Amino acid sequence: MSSVQYKALKGMQDILPPDIYIWQKVEAVAREVFSSYGFQEIRPPVVESTNVFTRSIGENTDIVEKEMYTFKDKGDRSISLRPEGTASVVRCYVEKNLHTMPSPQKFYYAGPMFRYERPQSGRFRQFYQIGVEAFGDPGPRIDAEVISMLRLCLERLGLREITFNVNSIGCPECRPAYRERLIEFFAGGLDRLCPDCNRRYHTNPLRILDCKVERCREMRKGAPRVTDHLCNGCRIHLDSLLSYLELMGISYTVNPDMVRGLDYYTRTTFEVTSENLGAQNAVAAGGRYDGLVKEFGGPETPAIGFAIGMERIIELLKNSVAYDFPTPDVFIAVIGALAARESMVIADRLRGKGLWAELGCSENSLKSQMRKADRLSSKYVFILGDDELNSGRLKWKKLSDSSQGEISMFEITDFLLQRSS
Ligand code: HAM
């Protein structure tokens, strides 16, 4: 016998029943809500040429520098497992000329993403996102629509105690000057910043603003705020977005320190956080990326989107919402070989009507079959033996209250259909 123990890789998890039912619920609610806003599903591949990600997410981001699963394929091409969905969607948008569809073009996607991060609570190496991307509308109205869609989704799932953090990180017109202000501000204190922030100082000083290291937090007190350095266009965009959010009754916090870890953002960025999670408290995040389609060789196309982190949502839901997990509608306990044969026909008929039917095994005693029905939390048990076959009537028992009775074989389907759901 082999002594090797097989284990899932670090940071990767098996998603099993009953949790899987919460996953399915979240996916179903998201699909329903996104569809009502006119978003259509697309399924880009999980693997892309590495440059799809380096180009868009940014050479100097943590994701590209440290976290990508990058390999050579058998043709010696550098390929990477997607660390996020936006880059793939933009690649697809440009490659498949999706800009020719009526504008704005609205898409959603769901699936696994991969980042070689240090695993901890709420942070995995394979994790799932449901994301949306809307292309072609430069105005703040679509920003507000996308945020309201996220709110509806979270609301319908029953999530409360969440905060919408909103920010603008400017555009190529105003960000360079702001960047210079930050460089000036931090210049005298580089020895007090963490090694990562020393690097960020040269590559992307805005990222110093959301470093979690205590001494960097201290250092940035009094740093110039991006929202005080927006150009006129970005200022108006942000103000209009905020007024739309107020109009729709969405409470928000403007958080000028919220700097996203991906380089493609322009203007609006947002993050939904929960106080009921640990350090990894962002359940969804997104923003506008008006330059990315052009960067990929497509026409000038403004765009905005977000992605929901499934594991974090599930964690919150598990702790706050009670779910009824599905259980069999009926367990057919059988006595004898003939009943075992007939039970297959009955079960087939019930399954054809969408009912969940489980079959007992005639080699097992009635008592052990009843125990199994109980362990499965079957709603009803039917008992089928030679007597029942001869009389055409069988006994039913409802496990939740132990009520019982008898019905004709012909009534089985209607009996269960009336009582299911
Ligand atoms: P992101 O902030 O990198 O943005 O990820 C979005 C969400 O995915 C996070 O808020 C978090 O809930 C979840 N997430 C990220 N990394 C992990 C991880 N290692 N383990 C578990 N959950 C994680 C994006 O990915 C952008 N593509 C969002 C976007 C779409 N922006 C515009 N369109």
Side-chain angles (χ1 to χ4, degrees), residues 63 83-87 109 115 117 122-129 131-133 260 262 264-265 271-272 282-289 304-312:
I63 296 180
E84 58 107 49
T86 311
Y109 50 91
R115 295 184 195 175
E117 296 196 78
R123 193 202 268 167
F124 302 92
R125 288 182 174 167
Q126 175 174 328
F127 60 97
Y128 287 75
Q129 286 185 343
V132 309
E133 316 291 350
R260 310 271 299 116
L262 306 112
Y264 48 63
Y265 290 115
E271 224 168 62
V272 180
V283 292
R288 187 167 265 288
Y289 48 95
I304 180 164
F306 66 76
I308 297 176
M310 284 290 285
E311 286 76 3
R312 297 184 193 174

Side-chain angles (χ1 to χ4, degrees), residues 67 148 181 188 257-258 343:
E67 297 167 4
S148 80
R181 296 289 307 273
D257 287 344
M258 190 191 67
S343 69

Side-chain angles (χ1 to χ4, degrees), residues 166-278:
V166 182
N167 193 18
S168 170
I169 57 163
C171 69
E173 202 182 301
C174 54
R175 205 183 309 153
Y178 173 64
R179 192 174 182 275
E180 285 311 310
R181 296 289 307 273
L182 276 184
I183 289 176
E184 273 166 35
F185 178 84
F186 288 114
L190 287 184
D191 50 339
R192 275 171 284 153
L193 291 175
C194 74
D196 272 346
C197 282
N198 264 281
R199 207 166 28 82
R200 289 172 186 144
Y201 178 79
H202 299 286
T203 55
N204 185 359
L206 270 77
R207 294 236 53 212
I208 302 174
L209 298 176
D210 74 348
C211 177
K212 306 278 184 293
V213 175
E214 193 46 47
R215 60 182 202 269
C216 300
R217 282 172 190 257
E218 270 306 304
M219 258 299 286
R220 66 174 176 252
K221 283 188 181 151
R225 301 186 135 200
V226 64
T227 39
D228 295 333
H229 294 82
L230 297 175
C231 62
N232 207 27
C234 288
R235 179 82 255 157
I236 292 172
H237 191 98
L238 178 61
D239 288 345
S240 318
L241 165 61
L242 300 182
S243 76
Y244 283 130
L245 294 181
E246 279 153 32
L247 185 70
M248 290 187 292
I250 301 177
S251 356
Y252 60 84
T253 305
V254 176
N255 180 354
D257 287 344
M258 190 191 67
V259 182
R260 310 271 299 116
L262 306 112
D263 277 357
Y264 48 63
Y265 290 115
T266 49
R267 293 194 165 166
T268 308
T269 53
F270 56 95
E271 224 168 62
V272 180
T273 51
S274 163
E275 279 169 20
N276 300 326
L277 289 169

